[in-house]
Amino acid sequence: MIYNDISPRTQAHVDRRLLTRAVPNNILGQFGQVRTIPSKNTKTIQFRRYNKLAATTTPLAEGVTPTASTLTKTDVSSTLSQYGNYIWVTDIILDTHEDPVLRESIDVLGEQAGESYDVLRAGVLKAGTNVLYTNGTARSAVNSVVTAGLLRTAVRTLKRQEAKAITSIVKAGPNVTTSPIPPAYVAVCHADLQPDLEALATWVPAYKYASTQGLINGEAGSAGEIRFVFDNNLTPWADAGGAASTNVTISTSGTSSDVYPVLIFGRDAYGVVELSGKSAVSTYVNNPKPVDSDPLAQRGTVGWKGYHAAVILQDLWMLRIEAAAKG
C-alpha cells in the first residue's frame, strides 16, 4: 500500500538513521552585501553609492575661491519576489509511518529554500559583463582550461578597477552577522573545475593552509590572491564552446565544450535582499484538521515561503572567467 507517495516498510530491517541528502551549501549568500527590508514596508530597495571625486592637481590661486566640486551618486534598485513550496502529508502517514516524516519534510523543504536562493543568486551573478575567456574572444570559442596566468590577469583587472579584497563574509545563522577572513578575492565555480585548479603550480589546498582560522564555508583551496569555493549551482552553458575534441574537454553532446563560469568577487560587488530576518524564510505546518473540504481531517501540509532578491552593485568589482573543464 502506498501512502501519498511514501510507503511504510513492514518486513525488511531498516536502519533508523536516514540517509544524508546531498545538498549544496548556500554559498553565494556569503560574499555580498546583505540588506533586510522590514515587514509592512516596501518590496523595493535602493542601494546608493556616492561616486569618487577626481584628483585635484591645480594649485590654488592666492585669494581666489576655487570652483566647487559636485557630489554625484549612483543608485541601484532591486525588487523582492516571493518564493515557496509545500508537501502534502496525510493522517495515515503521521499515525503509522516508522520514519519521522514531518520532521524530515521540514528539513527537506528548508534545504530546498536555501538551494533555491543560491540558484537565483547564481542566475543573476552569471550575467555580469566583466568577462575573460580562457581562449578566444567569445564563449563560442572556449575549449581550454583555467591557467595561473589568466588568474593573475583577473586579479590585475580587478585591482585596476579598484576592487577591494574581501575581508569578511556573512556568517550562517538566524541573524545577519559577519565573520572576518584574511583579505583575498573569492572565486566560486562548479566542482567539475577542481582537477584543473589542482593541476595549477600555484594551487594550495585548504588543508595545507598555515591556519584554518577564517576558512570560508565550502573553501577548497587558493591560487595566488584568489580563494576558491565550489558551488554546483554555477552550472555550465552546455555545448556553448569550441570543439571538445581539441583539448578533450567535458561536453554534454560530445561535440562542443561545456563552458563553465568562474565568478571572482571583490568587496561589495553585489547585494542580497531579504524581507525581515532569519534568512527571510518562514516555515508552515498545518496538521490535518476537519474543514468543509476535508471533513475527516485526512490531509495536512508542510511548507515554506519567503521573499528574496539579488543584484549586481558594481560590475567592475566582479569578474567572470569562462572556461572549459578537462574531460
Side-chain angles (χ1 to χ4, degrees):
M1 183 176 291
I2 303 298
Y3 298 87
N4 203 29
D5 295 329
I6 304 174
S7 58
R9 300 174 287 256
T10 56
Q11 294 182 1
H13 169 74
V14 177
D15 184 346
R16 290 298 189 269
R17 183 176 180 181
L18 298 174
L19 296 177
T20 301
R21 289 176 293 275
V23 178
N25 292 319
N26 186 17
I27 297 298
L28 293 170
Q30 298 181 92
F31 314 118
Q33 289 189 20
V34 177
R35 293 293 182 268
T36 300
I37 298 178
S39 60
K40 304 184 186 301
N41 194 302
T42 178
K43 291 202 306 179
T44 302
I45 187 171
Q46 189 165 268
F47 293 86
R48 174 164 294 174
R49 177 176 62 251
Y50 286 96
N51 303 319
K52 66 178 291 187
L53 297 174
T56 297
T57 58
T58 302
L60 294 175
E62 183 178 353
V64 178
T65 302
T67 302
S69 295
T70 301
L71 194 62
T72 62
K73 59 182 174 62
T74 300
D75 290 337
V76 180
S77 297
S78 182
T79 301
L80 292 166
S81 295
Q82 190 180 58
Y83 305 91
N85 198 9
Y86 69 95
I87 295 172
W88 285 104
V89 291
T90 68
D91 58 338
I92 294 179
I93 289 176
L94 297 177
D95 291 342
T96 68
H97 207 278
E98 72 269 30
D99 294 335
V101 176
L102 185 61
R103 187 184 68 196
E104 283 296 304
S105 296
I106 293 172
D107 289 347
V108 168
L109 288 164
E111 291 163 354
Q112 182 196 45
E115 184 174 5
S116 297
Y117 283 0
D118 201 52
V119 170
L120 291 166
R121 292 165 186 156
V124 171
L125 299 177
K126 283 169 65 174
T129 58
N130 203 13
V131 190
L132 292 174
Y133 303 99
T134 53
N135 64 281
T137 57
R139 184 177 300 163
S140 58
V142 171
N143 62 357
S144 59
V145 301
V146 172
T147 64
L150 190 61
L151 294 178
R152 286 191 290 269
T153 299
V155 169
R156 183 176 65 215
T157 301
L158 289 171
K159 287 184 174 180
R160 182 183 296 146
Q161 292 162 168
E162 300 186 356
K164 304 296 190 294
I166 293 175
T167 56
S168 65
I169 59 173
V170 178
K171 192 175 181 180
N175 301 310
V176 178
T177 59
T178 59
S179 177
I181 63 169
Y185 297 111
V186 175
V188 184
C189 62
H190 196 282
D192 282 353
L193 298 180
Q194 184 169 358
D196 301 326
L197 293 170
E198 291 177 340
L200 299 176
T202 54
W203 179 258
V204 179
Y207 69 84
K208 287 189 176 180
Y209 288 179
S211 171
T212 57
Q213 186 174 6
L215 201 66
I216 299 170
N217 181 29
E219 184 171 358
S222 64
E225 296 179 58
I226 304 175
R227 300 171 66 174
F228 282 84
V229 179
F230 295 125
D231 184 352
N232 287 346
N233 289 324
L234 280 175
T235 53
W237 292 282
D239 300 316
S245 58
T246 303
N247 296 311
V248 192
T249 54
I250 293 176
S251 169
T252 298
S253 68
T255 302
S256 298
S257 299
D258 293 347
V259 179
Y260 291 79
V262 181
L263 303 184
I264 307 175
F265 302 112
R267 193 172 71 210
D268 298 331
Y270 67 96
V272 294
V273 189
E274 302 167 349
L275 180 67
S276 298
K278 297 189 177 179
S279 301
V281 174
S282 299
T283 303
Y284 300 89
V285 179
N286 297 305
N287 287 312
K289 56 182 178 293
V291 293
D292 289 344
S293 60
D294 185 16
L296 299 182
Q298 294 172 291
R299 298 183 301 276
T301 60
V302 184
W304 68 273
K305 184 176 70 174
Y307 290 84
H308 190 264
V311 61
I312 295 174
L313 299 177
Q314 176 52 280
D315 226 329
L316 297 179
W317 294 348
M318 58 179 285
L319 182 146
R320 183 177 73 255
I321 291 177
E322 297 195 1
K326 204 74 173 176

